[in-house]
Amino acid sequence: MEQKTRLRQELKKQKKTSARIRRVVLIMVIAIAAVYAAGCFYYSRHFYGNGTVFGIEMRNQTVEELKDQIQDKIDDYRLTIVTRDGEETISAEQISLVYSDQGEIDALLADQNAALWFMMSATVSDDYDVDVELNEDMLSETVQALSCMQAENMTAPEDAYLYYEDGAFTICAESYGNQLSYSTVYPVILDSILEGTAEISLDELSCYAEPEIYQDTEALIAEYEEVSRLTGLEITYDFSDRTMVVDGSVIGEWIVFGDDFTWELDEDAVADYVYEMAYETDTFGLTRTFTTHSGSVITLKGGDYGWCINQTETTAQLLELIEAGESVTTEPVYRYSGICRDTNDIGDSYVEISISEQTMWVYNDGVCVVSTPVVTGNSSRGHDTPSGGVWAVDARITDYTLSGQDYNTEVSYWLPFNGNIGIHDATWRSSFGGTIYKTNGSHGCINTPLAAMEIVYENVQIGYPVVVY
């Protein structure tokens, strides 16, 4: 009996517990349903999405609240424009900026399913545009009036380039400047205002004119390496006892840069250099000093002996040597040349003839190999031998016939040096030297004893200088 009583009490207890659980669950369901219903009601008038409208967060905003905030934002709107030189602003008032309600916000709320408000955390974060209106003429004037748009405040960009200084080429880096154009800046500013953007950087939006060539441009670097190689050249012109060197300090000044990473040598500048070289080293027909056999120093003018650079061909030669890119030692191209290229171009091998002493000396490598009396031109008849200059031996001829107005004479050796005037043997004379030349001299030639003439002929080559004074 007691057992049945305990069982009835236990069942009764379980029923109470079950009833209590059902009441709790019912209350929870009713609460959740109430919250859900409240949410549905609330979000039928409010946005629950994560997005923004004109940069303003939508969640928990009504349509009117959003519109009021948009209008407030537009009223206070200022676009900050960051330039390379600072900041400038454009206000809503300057451009008559207003909100143009086209029902976009109403449509957004209408498209929202309030029953899904509980999924708000999963909504997208889109930014929705709204229509704004502005006076584009006022905006155009405002943009054009910006400080950064004034020509006097702009500096154009500059390309990187090569320049020569202190014997070397250097790449000068590009300069960016701050040049803007209305056609580039205006649409960027217009779009930014219509989107409600608070700040823009003209640099980041690539509004500035940019250089076309930068210091790391491969073609510029290749050009730099090429011309730098040229400045390492040494082209040495050998003038026996002195030289003239065309090195990098000279060549660098001659390089002229063109378009598309090209370069060339300034031919006029090279020609000027060759002209100066000729001016300093040419001796042909020029005044020079000469130390006679007796040690006295005399001045000689004229004659056709000496060195004369062919400037046109030497200029072409120098251009070719530089472009070849190899250091060399060379000589100029000569139009006329002598025997010795020293500063004293008469050197140690020459013929010396003194009219007053009626004597001829022949030197070979500084050694006098002939000293002989001679007979020069007949001064009484106006056949004086040209003197006071230096001439070059033009030919070496044996068994030659001398011809003139009143003579036709055979000689064994003939060394002409001034047209039809030369040195030759004179077997028809029995004596030489003294004052014979004054009344019984030659037609201008240097009459020489045969024995001496044989030695002269053996030692004198074509081109030898002949000094007559």
Side-chain angles (χ1 to χ4, degrees):
M1 187 68 170
E2 289 180 2
Q3 186 175 8
K4 287 181 179 182
T5 301
R6 282 196 301 272
L7 181 60
R8 279 196 298 269
Q9 289 176 347
E10 185 66 30
L11 289 172
K12 194 174 183 179
K13 188 176 182 181
Q14 288 179 357
K15 286 179 181 180
K16 287 181 180 180
T17 301
S18 296
R20 202 161 35 262
I21 292 172
R22 283 195 297 271
R23 283 197 300 272
V24 170
V25 170
L26 180 60
I27 292 170
M28 290 178 63
V29 169
I30 292 172
I32 291 171
V35 171
Y36 174 73
C40 289
F41 175 75
Y42 181 83
Y43 286 111
S44 66
R45 301 178 60 191
H46 295 75
F47 292 98
Y48 60 74
N50 285 320
T52 57
V53 176
F54 202 60
I56 301 169
E57 291 185 3
M58 299 168 58
R59 179 172 290 175
N60 296 326
Q61 302 263 30
T62 67
V63 169
E64 292 306 316
E65 287 172 343
L66 270 178
K67 289 181 179 180
D68 289 343
Q69 289 187 50
I70 290 170
Q71 187 60 58
D72 290 343
K73 182 175 181 180
I74 289 175
D75 290 342
D76 296 334
Y77 178 77
R78 296 176 70 85
L79 174 64
T80 298
I81 303 165
V82 180
T83 72
R84 287 180 177 173
D85 302 304
E87 293 183 356
E88 300 192 57
T89 59
I90 296 177
S91 67
E93 183 181 3
Q94 287 177 286
I95 56 177
S96 295
L97 183 67
V98 294
Y99 170 42
S100 177
D101 187 357
Q102 302 296 321
E104 310 99 319
I105 298 177
D106 299 86
L108 285 174
L109 185 63
D111 289 341
Q112 175 177 286
N113 187 347
L116 299 177
W117 65 267
F118 60 91
M119 298 180 65
M120 65 175 66
S121 61
T123 56
V124 296
S125 301
D126 291 338
D127 182 43
Y128 300 98
D129 294 328
V130 294
D131 283 343
V132 294
E133 292 181 355
L134 55 83
N135 187 315
E136 293 196 19
D137 290 337
M138 294 177 68
L139 176 61
S140 177
E141 292 176 2
T142 302
V143 170
Q144 293 181 63
L146 292 172
S147 177
C148 63
M149 297 300 295
Q150 307 312 304
E152 63 269 21
N153 297 332
M154 293 188 199
T155 302
E158 294 183 2
D159 291 339
Y161 64 93
L162 297 181
Y163 71 96
Y164 184 75
E165 186 177 54
D166 297 331
F169 280 101
T170 302
I171 296 179
C172 180
E174 65 280 358
S175 171
Y176 287 88
N178 60 352
Q179 189 175 53
L180 297 166
S181 68
Y182 173 83
S183 61
T184 301
V185 173
Y186 178 82
V188 167
I189 290 179
L190 175 60
D191 290 345
S192 299
I193 292 173
L194 294 178
E195 292 171 3
T197 306
E199 180 176 293
I200 60 171
S201 167
L202 297 183
D203 213 349
E204 293 177 0
L205 293 172
S206 303
C207 292
Y208 287 97
E210 299 291 341
E212 294 182 2
I213 301 173
Y214 297 84
Q215 61 182 331
D216 58 355
T217 299
E218 290 185 4
L220 181 64
I221 294 174
E223 184 180 30
Y224 163 75
E225 292 174 348
E226 187 173 1
V227 295
S228 294
R229 177 178 56 83
L230 294 182
T231 58
L233 297 180
E234 282 194 0
I235 298 171
T236 303
Y237 280 97
D238 184 7
F239 296 97
S240 186
D241 62 348
R242 65 208 186 283
T243 59
M244 294 186 72
V245 180
V246 179
D247 58 15
S249 65
V250 178
I251 296 171
E253 300 289 348
W254 294 343
I255 295 176
V256 179
F257 295 101
D259 297 329
D260 299 325
F261 309 101
T262 60
W263 62 270
E264 62 182 4
L265 293 169
D266 184 341
E267 294 188 12
D268 290 337
V270 177
D272 289 343
Y273 179 88
V274 173
Y275 171 83
E276 292 297 328
M277 181 165 63
Y279 181 81
E280 292 183 22
T281 62
D282 279 358
T283 60
F284 184 85
L286 299 181
T287 299
R288 50 167 65 78
T289 59
F290 174 72
T291 302
T292 69
H293 68 285
S294 64
S296 61
V297 178
I298 62 175
T299 299
L300 302 171
K301 297 180 180 180
D304 65 0
Y305 175 80
W307 299 81
C308 179
I309 292 175
N310 186 321
Q311 296 185 35
T312 300
E313 293 189 15
T314 301
T315 298
Q317 173 203 51
L318 181 51
L319 288 167
E320 289 177 3
L321 290 173
I322 295 172
E323 290 173 358
E326 295 183 6
S327 297
V328 295
T329 298
T330 187
E331 294 183 357
V333 180
Y334 288 106
R335 188 181 302 278
Y336 304 110
S337 59
I339 295 300
C340 177
R341 197 60 188 97
D342 290 349
T343 304
N344 170 23
D345 64 335
I346 294 175
D348 295 329
S349 297
Y350 56 88
V351 178
E352 178 183 351
I353 300 169
S354 170
I355 301 296
S356 62
E357 296 179 61
Q358 287 292 287
T359 302
M360 175 173 66
W361 299 267
V362 176
Y363 289 87
N364 200 330
D365 293 330
V367 178
C368 181
V369 295
V370 173
S371 177
T372 178
V374 294
V375 176
T376 60
N378 190 329
S379 58
S380 64
R381 294 188 178 183
H383 296 316
D384 298 270
T385 300
S387 63
V390 186
W391 292 264
V393 173
D394 297 323
R396 298 174 72 251
I397 306 173
T398 58
D399 300 326
Y400 184 73
T401 299
L402 303 173
S403 299
Q405 239 178 2
D406 55 355
Y407 64 91
N408 195 25
T409 306
E410 292 184 0
V411 296
S412 298
Y413 304 99
W414 171 236
L415 299 174
F417 63 84
N418 186 1
N420 61 352
I421 294 175
I423 305 168
H424 60 81
D425 51 288
T427 54
W428 57 88
R429 291 187 181 277
S430 58
S431 60
F432 296 85
T435 58
I436 298 172
Y437 74 101
K438 292 184 178 181
T439 58
N440 190 26
S442 68
H443 286 82
C445 289
I446 312 301
N447 290 179
T448 307
L450 178 59
M453 190 62 204
E454 289 176 346
I455 302 174
V456 172
Y457 189 84
E458 289 175 359
N459 286 275
V460 175
Q461 305 300 317
I462 294 175
Y464 262 46
V466 178
V467 178
V468 184
Y469 59 90

